[in-house]
Amino acid sequence: MEIIRTPQEMQRRALELERAGHMVGFVPTMGFLHDGHLSLMHLARSRCDVLVASIFVNPAQFGPNEDLDAYPRDFARDEALCEAAGVDIVFYPEPASMYASDASVWIDETRLSQGLCGASRPGHFRGVCTVVAKLFNLVRPDVAVFGEKDAQQLRIIERMVRDLDFPVEIVRGPTVREADGLAMSSRNKYLDASQRRDALCLKRSLDEVTDMVRQGERQVAVLRDAMADGIGKVAAAAIDYIEFVDDATLVPVQLVEGRTLVAMAVKIGPTRLIDNAVLEP
Ligand code: PAF
């Protein structure tokens, strides 16, 4: 497995792979890998003959009061996991090499990024779109895999690829969960034992509304109240948002009539967790 540390070398290698006719698969990550990332790598692996993973904690997608410095990092462990997952190239750049100190061009998605995490984390998706566009220009993948756990991010990246004509196919990777239902996330590491138990309220509330919709409930106000009641019973939990939106446009809906995304962000103690489900009446 090759480790590439500079954008210039990554792009040179990508052009070489392209000229040699390789099918390049790509999984961008911020490291501290878990089984969710590995499942994206396995999915990408099945679609390509050269698999590239990037490990880069992107400063541009963190707000001033967010956890950039505390974000968990363990490159030695990530390297071993990538190797075992069949990654051919790990791109692991220094932040200073990715952004010029006077960088002044950014990519702003202006519709899908307005609500949900975009409303709670101003500038977050600008940072995500910009780094993903840069990574696509450096890695030049044919296929890139993004997880459905970050439902809004996934739809924004799909929109960016469509609107800016990136020659890459975006593949959706299903959310991977712990045995008890908690969605895998690098941020789960922040949870102590009791917060870890409390964090199950996210998936529990998604299961509850999925059942309610199956039994015929369509009113978003009723569904949202049921979720908020359940989560409200967990003392350590504070709801950032619970939103029901059209699955394609991310516009809020009042009734679950078509494919509806229910997305949530909940703080368990200081740790902000997200999760979602797609409701199909
Ligand atoms: O989902 C993530 O880990 C990040 O947002 C991504 C796509 C790697 C961009 O930094």
Side-chain angles (χ1 to χ4, degrees), residues 70-111:
Y71 197 84
R73 294 159 167 92
D74 186 344
F75 183 68
R77 180 174 162 278
D78 287 347
E79 188 183 351
L81 288 170
C82 284
E83 178 106 57
V87 171
D88 298 295
I89 300 176
V90 176
F91 178 45
Y92 178 49
E94 295 286 350
S97 70
M98 284 292 281
Y99 292 102
S101 58
D102 61 348
S104 56
V105 178
W106 303 90
I107 295 185
D108 248 324
E109 192 289 327
T110 56
R111 225 171 251 248

Side-chain angles (χ1 to χ4, degrees), residues 119-142:
S120 316
R121 304 183 67 189
H124 171 68
F125 288 116
R126 180 172 113 135
V128 170
C129 285
T130 304
V131 82
V132 171
K134 286 166 71 69
L135 290 166
F136 284 171
N137 284 333
L138 297 174
V139 175
R140 305 173 71 90
D142 297 288

Side-chain angles (χ1 to χ4, degrees), residues 88-234:
D88 298 295
I89 300 176
V90 176
F91 178 45
Y92 178 49
E94 295 286 350
S97 70
M98 284 292 281
Y99 292 102
S101 58
D102 61 348
S104 56
V105 178
W106 303 90
I107 295 185
D108 248 324
E109 192 289 327
T110 56
R111 225 171 251 248
L112 305 178
S113 56
Q114 296 307 301
L116 311 176
C117 287
S120 316
R121 304 183 67 189
H124 171 68
F125 288 116
R126 180 172 113 135
V128 170
C129 285
T130 304
V131 82
V132 171
K134 286 166 71 69
L135 290 166
F136 284 171
N137 284 333
L138 297 174
V139 175
R140 305 173 71 90
D142 297 288
V143 175
V145 186
F146 290 79
E148 282 175 348
K149 179 176 159 274
D150 296 302
Q152 187 178 17
Q153 166 173 285
L154 174 56
R155 284 154 185 75
I156 290 171
I157 298 297
E158 288 171 343
R159 180 64 61 93
M160 178 183 86
V161 163
R162 186 197 76 177
D163 287 357
L164 298 184
D165 306 301
F166 280 95
V168 56
E169 180 193 349
I170 303 299
V171 173
R172 296 181 170 197
T175 300
V176 177
R177 298 181 181 278
E178 304 283 358
D180 58 9
L182 181 68
M184 291 200 182
S185 161
S186 304
R187 290 192 169 95
N188 292 349
K189 175 178 162 55
Y190 298 147
L191 305 170
D192 65 24
S194 106
Q195 291 167 340
R196 172 68 184 71
R197 276 191 301 277
D198 289 343
L200 295 177
C201 69
L202 281 85
K203 177 64 162 68
R204 227 177 12 242
S205 71
L206 292 171
D207 288 346
E208 188 182 354
V209 289
T210 303
D211 277 352
M212 288 170 75
V213 169
R214 224 175 261 139
Q215 284 160 28
E217 182 58 66
R218 297 287 179 267
Q219 296 282 343
V220 162
V222 174
L223 297 166
R224 186 189 282 115
D225 282 353
M227 291 177 80
D229 283 352
I231 293 168
K233 294 195 177 89
V234 177

